[in-house]
Amino acid sequence: VLSRLPEKEKKIEDEGTARMFFMPFTDGNFRKYLLFNSWWMLAVGIGAPFWQPFMLQKLGMSLFEVQLYSGMNIVSAILVLRIWGKIIDRFGNRTAMRLITILGGFNPMVWLFVTPENYHILYLEAITSGMMWAGAGLVATNFVLSIAPDERRQLYSGVSGAFSGLAIVTTMLASGIFLPPALAIGGISLEPEQVLFGLTGMARWSAQIPLSWVRDRKSRPVGEAIAFFIREIRPRILK
Protein backbone atom coordinates (compact mmCIF):
# COMPACT_ATOMS: atom_id res chain seq x y z
CA VAL A 1 0.00 0.00 0.00
CA LEU A 2 2.79 2.41 0.92
CA SER A 3 4.56 1.87 -2.42
CA ARG A 4 1.43 2.97 -4.29
CA LEU A 5 1.10 6.30 -2.50
CA PRO A 6 2.09 9.33 -4.61
CA GLU A 7 4.97 11.45 -3.38
CA LYS A 8 5.91 14.93 -4.54
CA GLU A 9 9.47 15.50 -5.65
CA LYS A 10 11.43 17.56 -3.17
CA LYS A 11 14.62 19.50 -3.59
CA ILE A 12 17.48 17.99 -1.62
CA GLU A 13 18.86 20.47 0.91
CA ASP A 14 22.58 21.11 0.73
CA GLU A 15 22.83 23.49 3.71
CA GLY A 16 24.51 22.42 6.92
CA THR A 17 22.37 21.10 9.76
CA ALA A 18 23.00 24.09 12.05
CA ARG A 19 22.15 26.59 9.33
CA MET A 20 18.95 24.73 8.46
CA PHE A 21 17.88 24.59 12.11
CA PHE A 22 18.33 28.32 12.71
CA MET A 23 16.89 29.44 9.37
CA PRO A 24 13.23 29.52 10.54
CA PHE A 25 14.19 31.87 13.40
CA THR A 26 14.89 34.63 10.88
CA ASP A 27 11.14 34.69 10.22
CA GLY A 28 9.55 37.11 12.73
CA ASN A 29 6.06 35.66 12.42
CA PHE A 30 7.37 32.15 12.98
CA ARG A 31 9.14 33.30 16.15
CA LYS A 32 5.83 34.67 17.41
CA TYR A 33 4.10 31.42 16.52
CA LEU A 34 6.83 29.41 18.24
CA LEU A 35 6.39 31.49 21.40
CA PHE A 36 2.64 30.88 21.36
CA ASN A 37 2.94 27.17 20.61
CA SER A 38 5.54 26.62 23.33
CA TRP A 39 3.38 28.60 25.78
CA TRP A 40 0.35 26.46 24.88
CA MET A 41 2.23 23.18 25.24
CA LEU A 42 3.74 24.26 28.57
CA ALA A 43 0.18 24.95 29.73
CA VAL A 44 -1.14 21.62 28.44
CA GLY A 45 1.64 19.71 30.21
CA ILE A 46 0.66 20.98 33.68
CA GLY A 47 -0.95 18.04 35.46
CA ALA A 48 -1.04 15.97 32.27
CA PRO A 49 0.19 12.71 33.89
CA PHE A 50 -2.54 12.78 36.55
CA TRP A 51 -5.88 12.69 34.72
CA GLN A 52 -6.43 8.93 34.67
CA PRO A 53 -4.72 8.21 38.03
CA PHE A 54 -7.05 10.80 39.60
CA MET A 55 -10.07 9.09 38.05
CA LEU A 56 -9.01 5.68 39.36
CA GLN A 57 -7.54 6.55 42.75
CA LYS A 58 -9.39 9.65 43.96
CA LEU A 59 -12.77 9.30 42.23
CA GLY A 60 -12.93 5.52 42.56
CA MET A 61 -13.91 5.01 38.92
CA SER A 62 -13.55 1.54 37.44
CA LEU A 63 -11.37 0.77 34.43
CA PHE A 64 -14.55 0.30 32.39
CA GLU A 65 -15.75 3.79 33.35
CA VAL A 66 -12.39 5.30 32.45
CA GLN A 67 -12.50 3.57 29.08
CA LEU A 68 -16.07 4.77 28.58
CA TYR A 69 -14.85 8.31 29.21
CA SER A 70 -12.05 7.84 26.66
CA GLY A 71 -14.44 6.33 24.13
CA MET A 72 -16.85 9.26 24.40
CA ASN A 73 -13.91 11.61 24.00
CA ILE A 74 -12.81 9.91 20.79
CA VAL A 75 -16.30 9.70 19.29
CA SER A 76 -17.00 13.39 19.90
CA ALA A 77 -13.65 14.26 18.32
CA ILE A 78 -14.50 12.30 15.18
CA LEU A 79 -17.92 13.93 14.87
CA VAL A 80 -16.57 17.49 14.87
CA LEU A 81 -13.44 17.07 12.74
CA ARG A 82 -15.21 18.29 9.62
CA ILE A 83 -16.59 21.32 11.47
CA TRP A 84 -13.11 22.31 12.61
CA GLY A 85 -11.89 21.99 9.04
CA LYS A 86 -14.60 24.38 7.89
CA ILE A 87 -13.76 26.84 10.67
CA ILE A 88 -10.08 26.82 9.74
CA ASP A 89 -10.89 27.35 6.05
CA ARG A 90 -13.38 30.17 6.67
CA PHE A 91 -11.98 31.98 9.69
CA GLY A 92 -8.28 31.11 9.78
CA ASN A 93 -6.05 29.10 12.09
CA ARG A 94 -5.66 31.86 14.66
CA THR A 95 -9.41 32.23 15.12
CA ALA A 96 -9.84 28.47 15.37
CA MET A 97 -7.08 28.36 17.97
CA ARG A 98 -8.82 31.06 20.00
CA LEU A 99 -11.87 28.81 20.26
CA ILE A 100 -9.65 25.90 21.22
CA THR A 101 -7.92 27.81 24.02
CA ILE A 102 -11.31 28.88 25.40
CA LEU A 103 -12.52 25.28 25.47
CA GLY A 104 -9.12 24.06 26.58
CA GLY A 105 -9.24 26.24 29.69
CA PHE A 106 -12.87 25.44 30.48
CA ASN A 107 -12.51 21.64 30.49
CA PRO A 108 -10.01 21.38 33.40
CA MET A 109 -12.17 23.71 35.49
CA VAL A 110 -14.96 21.14 35.47
CA TRP A 111 -12.62 18.76 37.29
CA LEU A 112 -12.38 21.15 40.25
CA PHE A 113 -15.97 20.35 41.21
CA VAL A 114 -15.83 16.59 40.69
CA THR A 115 -16.14 14.26 43.69
CA PRO A 116 -16.61 10.49 44.08
CA GLU A 117 -20.33 11.20 44.42
CA ASN A 118 -20.82 13.23 41.21
CA TYR A 119 -18.04 12.07 38.87
CA HIS A 120 -20.62 11.23 36.19
CA ILE A 121 -20.50 14.87 35.04
CA LEU A 122 -17.11 13.99 33.55
CA TYR A 123 -18.94 12.22 30.72
CA LEU A 124 -20.21 15.60 29.56
CA GLU A 125 -16.71 17.00 29.89
CA ALA A 126 -15.47 14.09 27.77
CA ILE A 127 -17.59 15.41 24.89
CA THR A 128 -16.33 19.00 25.08
CA SER A 129 -12.78 17.78 25.62
CA GLY A 130 -12.99 15.60 22.52
CA MET A 131 -14.26 18.58 20.53
CA MET A 132 -11.34 20.68 21.73
CA TRP A 133 -8.60 18.14 21.02
CA ALA A 134 -9.98 17.41 17.56
CA GLY A 135 -9.49 21.07 16.65
CA ALA A 136 -6.15 21.32 18.45
CA GLY A 137 -4.78 18.43 16.42
CA LEU A 138 -5.80 20.01 13.12
CA VAL A 139 -4.49 23.45 14.00
CA ALA A 140 -1.21 22.04 15.33
CA THR A 141 -0.54 20.61 11.87
CA ASN A 142 -2.06 23.34 9.75
CA PHE A 143 -1.01 26.56 11.51
CA VAL A 144 2.74 26.17 11.11
CA LEU A 145 2.33 25.05 7.49
CA SER A 146 0.20 28.11 6.71
CA ILE A 147 2.92 30.55 7.81
CA ALA A 148 5.92 28.65 6.43
CA PRO A 149 7.33 29.19 2.92
CA ASP A 150 6.29 26.37 0.60
CA GLU A 151 9.83 25.07 0.17
CA ARG A 152 10.50 25.13 3.93
CA ARG A 153 7.34 23.60 5.36
CA GLN A 154 9.02 20.41 6.56
CA LEU A 155 11.80 22.39 8.24
CA TYR A 156 9.40 24.77 10.01
CA SER A 157 7.21 21.88 11.09
CA GLY A 158 10.19 19.95 12.45
CA VAL A 159 11.48 22.88 14.51
CA SER A 160 7.97 23.56 15.84
CA GLY A 161 7.54 19.91 16.79
CA ALA A 162 10.87 19.85 18.63
CA PHE A 163 9.98 22.87 20.75
CA SER A 164 6.45 21.57 21.38
CA GLY A 165 7.75 18.25 22.67
CA LEU A 166 10.33 19.91 24.90
CA ALA A 167 7.72 22.30 26.33
CA ILE A 168 5.11 19.70 27.27
CA VAL A 169 7.69 17.32 28.76
CA THR A 170 9.07 20.14 30.92
CA THR A 171 5.79 20.86 32.69
CA MET A 172 4.78 17.19 32.84
CA LEU A 173 7.96 16.42 34.77
CA ALA A 174 7.63 19.55 36.90
CA SER A 175 4.07 18.56 37.83
CA GLY A 176 5.34 15.37 39.42
CA ILE A 177 8.37 16.92 41.07
CA PHE A 178 6.49 19.90 42.52
CA LEU A 179 3.11 18.31 43.23
CA PRO A 180 1.25 20.98 45.24
CA PRO A 181 -0.47 20.30 48.56
CA ALA A 182 -4.25 20.00 48.92
CA LEU A 183 -6.04 23.33 48.96
CA ALA A 184 -9.36 24.66 50.26
CA ILE A 185 -10.94 27.60 48.42
CA GLY A 186 -14.36 29.01 49.23
CA GLY A 187 -15.57 25.83 50.87
CA ILE A 188 -14.25 23.63 48.07
CA SER A 189 -11.55 21.15 49.04
CA LEU A 190 -9.15 20.46 46.19
CA GLU A 191 -6.88 17.46 45.92
CA PRO A 192 -3.28 18.15 44.78
CA GLU A 193 -4.19 16.92 41.30
CA GLN A 194 -7.14 19.30 41.13
CA VAL A 195 -4.87 22.21 42.00
CA LEU A 196 -2.81 21.30 38.93
CA PHE A 197 -5.97 21.02 36.82
CA GLY A 198 -6.94 24.54 37.84
CA LEU A 199 -3.48 25.83 37.00
CA THR A 200 -3.49 24.22 33.56
CA GLY A 201 -6.89 25.75 32.83
CA MET A 202 -5.72 29.26 33.66
CA ALA A 203 -2.43 28.75 31.81
CA ARG A 204 -4.30 27.60 28.70
CA TRP A 205 -6.47 30.71 28.75
CA SER A 206 -3.36 32.87 29.10
CA ALA A 207 -2.08 31.46 25.77
CA GLN A 208 -4.48 33.94 24.14
CA ILE A 209 -1.85 36.62 24.82
CA PRO A 210 0.97 35.34 22.54
CA LEU A 211 -1.61 34.00 20.07
CA SER A 212 -2.78 37.56 19.38
CA TRP A 213 0.74 38.45 18.19
CA VAL A 214 0.79 35.84 15.40
CA ARG A 215 -0.21 37.16 11.97
CA ASP A 216 -2.82 35.18 10.07
CA ARG A 217 -4.13 36.81 6.90
CA LYS A 218 -7.32 34.69 6.97
CA SER A 219 -8.16 35.51 10.58
CA ARG A 220 -11.70 36.79 11.22
CA PRO A 221 -13.58 37.80 14.40
CA VAL A 222 -13.95 34.96 16.88
CA GLY A 223 -17.63 35.81 17.43
CA GLU A 224 -18.41 34.83 13.84
CA ALA A 225 -16.62 31.53 14.32
CA ILE A 226 -18.53 30.78 17.54
CA ALA A 227 -21.86 31.45 15.83
CA PHE A 228 -20.84 29.22 12.93
CA PHE A 229 -19.72 26.43 15.30
CA ILE A 230 -23.05 26.52 17.15
CA ARG A 231 -25.01 26.35 13.88
CA GLU A 232 -22.96 23.39 12.71
CA ILE A 233 -22.95 21.42 15.97
CA ARG A 234 -26.65 21.87 16.82
CA PRO A 235 -27.98 19.30 14.28
CA ARG A 236 -25.48 16.71 15.55
CA ILE A 237 -26.59 17.23 19.16
CA LEU A 238 -30.29 17.06 18.28
CA LYS A 239 -29.75 13.76 16.47
Side-chain angles (χ1 to χ4, degrees):
V1 173
L2 182 62
S3 66
R4 299 175 68 88
L5 296 178
E7 184 175 10
K8 295 173 62 176
E9 291 188 8
K10 185 180 183 301
K11 178 184 176 182
I12 298 176
E13 293 88 355
D14 53 6
E15 298 97 341
T17 301
R19 182 181 178 185
M20 286 182 61
F21 178 80
F22 288 105
M23 187 178 297
F25 295 95
T26 62
D27 185 331
N29 197 38
F30 177 74
R31 292 197 301 270
K32 294 174 183 176
Y33 166 79
L34 201 61
L35 173 63
F36 154 71
N37 197 42
S38 298
W39 190 316
W40 168 251
M41 296 308 291
L42 283 167
V44 168
I46 299 174
F50 296 104
W51 299 102
Q52 289 194 358
F54 180 75
M55 297 167 80
L56 293 168
Q57 298 173 9
K58 298 297 177 67
L59 298 182
M61 297 173 66
S62 66
L63 285 173
F64 173 79
E65 289 173 317
V66 173
Q67 291 302 314
L68 178 61
Y69 172 92
S70 300
M72 295 177 67
N73 189 286
I74 293 170
V75 170
S76 66
I78 294 173
L79 292 177
V80 299
L81 272 174
R82 185 178 180 184
I83 297 176
W84 280 117
K86 290 181 179 180
I87 290 176
I88 292 171
D89 291 340
R90 295 191 184 193
F91 305 100
N93 288 285
R94 191 176 69 178
T95 299
M97 196 64 211
R98 286 196 182 280
L99 293 179
I100 291 163
T101 55
I102 293 171
L103 272 175
F106 166 77
N107 291 327
M109 295 304 177
V110 176
W111 290 69
L112 304 187
F113 304 95
V114 177
T115 66
E117 290 75 32
N118 67 0
Y119 67 80
H120 296 93
I121 63 175
L122 287 182
Y123 295 128
L124 294 177
E125 188 273 340
I127 297 174
T128 58
S129 179
M131 292 178 180
M132 186 274 290
W133 286 115
L138 286 179
V139 174
T141 302
N142 201 57
F143 206 165
V144 65
L145 298 181
S146 70
I147 64 177
D150 290 344
E151 70 278 5
R152 297 293 182 182
R153 286 183 169 182
Q154 291 177 325
L155 179 59
Y156 276 57
S157 181
V159 172
S160 174
F163 276 80
S164 296
L166 181 62
I168 193 171
V169 165
T170 298
T171 43
M172 286 176 68
L173 291 174
S175 296
I177 296 173
F178 304 106
L179 185 66
L183 183 65
I185 302 179
I188 301 176
S189 297
L190 301 178
E191 296 285 347
E193 298 91 340
Q194 289 175 302
V195 176
L196 290 175
F197 299 159
L199 290 174
T200 188
M202 291 185 288
R204 293 178 189 187
W205 280 331
S206 71
Q208 293 271 356
I209 299 171
L211 178 59
S212 64
W213 302 334
V214 184
R215 294 192 307 274
D216 182 4
R217 58 184 178 81
K218 295 179 64 177
S219 181
R220 292 172 59 185
V222 69
E224 296 181 16
I226 293 174
F228 176 82
F229 186 84
I230 293 174
R231 289 197 306 270
E232 289 289 316
I233 199 66
R234 185 179 298 166
R236 288 167 170 78
I237 296 176
L238 294 178
K239 286 181 180 179

